[in-house]
Amino acid sequence: MSAKSRDVIIYNNLTELINKISVPKNYHVLIDGIIQGKESKVIAEELGLTRKRVYQMYWQYVKWCMDYTDMMYHEDFPPISREEYYIFRESHRGLTYQEELEALKQYILSKQ
């Protein structure tokens, strides 16, 4: 998996949630593999799945974590509540994805 995927899991301590949200055993293998820095191809082989399915599982896990905590997660800055994110996003319409991400990062860091 990508370093970005690993960073999201580790930076936001999403490993702590794996037992709280009751995920299937395959997700434990997935998260352990990501933390160990395994490539998606290796994780897919271990699970008997395609690489595409492994990426879908990763995003499903992050979504379950967001649903459980009501937070939005990023790889290099603190999480933000969904409500606060949607308010921020509404006031920053018209930005490209990269511009929005940078503005959001600055917004979050300025609050600390």
Side-chain angles (χ1 to χ4, degrees), residues 4-61:
K4 182 177 179 178
S5 300
R6 183 175 182 267
D7 291 349
V8 170
I9 298 290
I10 292 173
Y11 184 83
N12 294 289
N13 206 18
L14 299 185
T15 55
E16 295 290 320
L17 295 176
I18 199 159
N19 294 318
K20 293 180 181 177
I21 59 176
S22 301
V23 300
K25 187 173 182 159
N26 280 356
Y27 284 85
H28 290 266
V29 174
L30 170 72
I31 300 306
D32 288 343
I34 291 171
I35 291 169
Q36 293 172 20
K38 293 181 180 178
E39 294 180 6
S40 58
K41 179 181 177 182
V42 173
I43 297 170
E45 288 172 359
E46 288 177 4
L47 293 172
L49 302 170
T50 64
R51 289 175 59 199
K52 181 178 179 179
R53 180 65 185 123
V54 166
Y55 280 106
Q56 289 171 339
M57 287 175 62
Y58 164 74
W59 285 112
Q60 180 62 57
Y61 178 71

Side-chain angles (χ1 to χ4, degrees), residues 42-107:
V42 173
I43 297 170
E45 288 172 359
E46 288 177 4
L47 293 172
L49 302 170
T50 64
R51 289 175 59 199
K52 181 178 179 179
R53 180 65 185 123
V54 166
Y55 280 106
Q56 289 171 339
M57 287 175 62
Y58 164 74
W59 285 112
Q60 180 62 57
Y61 178 71
V62 172
K63 183 184 179 314
W64 285 335
C65 290
M66 291 190 308
D67 290 345
Y68 183 81
T69 62
D70 201 34
M71 301 294 280
M72 303 283 291
Y73 297 105
H74 307 91
E75 72 272 10
D76 59 355
F77 53 95
I80 183 173
S81 75
R82 283 184 177 175
E83 180 180 351
E84 189 174 6
Y85 169 74
Y86 291 124
I87 292 169
F88 168 85
R89 190 168 181 199
E90 188 66 30
S91 66
H92 288 78
R93 286 183 174 223
L95 297 179
T96 66
Y97 172 77
Q98 195 59 44
E99 290 169 337
E100 179 184 317
L101 195 58
E102 188 57 37
L104 180 61
K105 182 176 182 177
Q106 294 305 317
Y107 170 75

